[in-house]
Amino acid sequence: MAESRSSWGATGVAPARRVADLVVERLRAWQVPRVFGCPGSAVTPIVDAFADAGGDPAFVPARHEETAAFMAVGHAKYTGGTGVCLANQGPGAVHLLNGLYDAKLDSKPVVALIGQETAGPLGRAHADIEIGRLFSDVCHQFVRTVQTVEQVSALLDRAIQTAVATRSPTCLVLPYEIQVAPAPPAPSPAPGGGVLAANPGLPLARVLPHDADLNAAAQVLSSGRRVALLVGQGGYGAADEIQALADRLGAGVATSLLGKPVLDERLPFHTGVIGDVGGDASAQLMAGCDTLLLIGTNDPWTGYLPPPGQARVVQIDIDGRRVGSRYPVDVPLIGDAAETLRALIDRIPDRPGRQWRETVEASVDRWRGTAVERAGQPGEPVNPRLVFQELSPRLPPDAAVAVDVGSVTYWYARHVQLPPGVSAHLCGTLGSVGCALPYAIAAKLAAPEQPVIALLGDGAMQLTGLAELITVAQHWRRWADPRFVLLVLNNRDRSGVGDHREPRAPEVVERLPDVPYAGWARLLGLHGLRVDRPELVGPAWDEALAADRPTLIEAVVDPVVPLDPPDQPFADLRGVLADADAARRVHDQVLRTHVTVDSRDLG
């Protein structure tokens, strides 16, 4: 055990157990493996208690509270567990908000522990803020301040339980004088008189829709002639059921950006990601379908869904608040995705006709050919699409991928095919720049034997990445597998997403300063590669994935390569199609001449 406290002194007597030790003990009881944060005066007792605990749980210091919160969210996303972050009051607490909103919007359990100094010359500490008011939105499920030592265990347990049960962030404020106070001799009683025992899994109840709803959904899906499935992150763990149902219905499958890792993207009927970041095949799938099954998705790209009235819609979600919140639904199914799909499959007969599936697969083939063709076009000096296209066949089958916000999101969505077993996450709903490297660090710390790849732009790297690379340098020698590859797109494009439709002249691009990212990695004792010619792209990935230490690939790419969002075939008709009856009439007429839908399927 580390001797971190001055209270050991010359006597050699172990210090008395304090509330700070109790906090660490409760986190260990909840099987929290590590806590991410920044040391500060208001959390010094807890940081000391982590040191005394000998790394169980571990305290992982970040360079900034914002990245600490993103690490906590990344831990929750990659492990399925609860992320915990620690910060001082005042600015430290404010900096946590970005990561906590990421957790809120992507429905991940995260607990924020905030130290508070209440003593000061005027009765309030320096840098004091109203934490309860500040966090009342992002942590609306649970925000409490500990008032007495007897409350500590119960409130910490409730903070964790609430985060897990509601899949959301929670906050517990721990005043300094409470942290240093003597701990009570036994676990504090819960408000109801019992003792809250740690239950890390908190397995949620088995949730299945009623039989009547399942029968109604099966009737809708069975009667559809052109069925499409849209899969979100709620489909995790249901890949086999999704594929089986798609085969039974002869359906095509698209995914949200967050749902991209759920299903093997190499399947011939997998059209890829939907929305501005997606490709033509997904847009065409939505344009041509007459029946739509939404599985665990809260995707915001509703403009790419069929116009209202075109398709009958079934939605599966574990959270009833989300059903119908983005798009009108005919049959809602509240339940776990995998079990609900299994129950549906048993009610749906196998479909003999395959015309619609053949149409979808032809569309997928065209789109994949287009993606390869675009990646092969010249760039000044390197086409960014090529960098991602070359990564795709080299992805280790057990890799974890972290993706930042900006043009990298587009290239990842279109040019990286994720095989089964590869987990991938991004700040999908909040869309905050600077998430990928903290995510990747959390993923690697959780599974040091797993290769990790982070994809980000130079804007994100200059925002927080240059500093957080120090954290990688601090930890990598303890990793069982040193493969940790950080791709930085050096395009000096301040906007991060270029232009949606047309390439811009270099003189009108707002430029970031050029930074030697690969050189910075080498200064930290890591491996650094600078790629400024197309023929270097593939060998750079090979070298990075075979290196004996973390590697930063600095790809100098063309900033004016257009993002080319897919066309929306019915975009100009959405005002007309808002009325259901008009929608059916106009839809039938439009489909007779729409070139992406096989005429055999139109009836």
Side-chain angles (χ1 to χ4, degrees), residues 555-579:
V556 186
V557 297
D558 195 334
V560 297
V561 174
L563 299 180
D564 292 328
D567 291 329
Q568 300 179 58
F570 297 152
D572 56 339
L573 297 175
R574 290 188 184 278
V576 177
L577 298 181
D579 175 74

Side-chain angles (χ1 to χ4, degrees), residues 376-391:
Q377 294 170 351
E380 294 294 336
V382 176
N383 184 340
R385 302 181 181 113
L386 178 66
V387 181
F388 290 78
Q389 193 77 29
E390 290 289 334
L391 166 63

Side-chain angles (χ1 to χ4, degrees), residues 22 26 66 102 121 131 193 207 261 339 347 349 396 420 496 510 577 602:
L22 175 61
R26 293 308 296 164
E66 179 175 299
D102 180 21
I131 295 175
V207 181
E339 294 210 44
R347 291 168 162 82
E510 189 177 5
L577 298 181
L602 301 181

Side-chain angles (χ1 to χ4, degrees), residues 30 80-82 107-109 160-168 199-208 234 236 317-322 334-337 339:
W30 280 94
T82 303
S107 300
K108 301 302 174 187
I160 298 174
Q161 285 180 314
T162 303
V164 174
T166 62
R167 302 183 304 281
S168 66
N199 183 2
L202 273 184
L204 300 176
R206 182 187 184 206
V207 181
L208 272 174
Y236 271 105
D317 206 292
I318 193 71
D319 188 344
R321 295 171 297 181
R322 292 184 173 173
I334 312 302
D336 172 76
E339 294 210 44

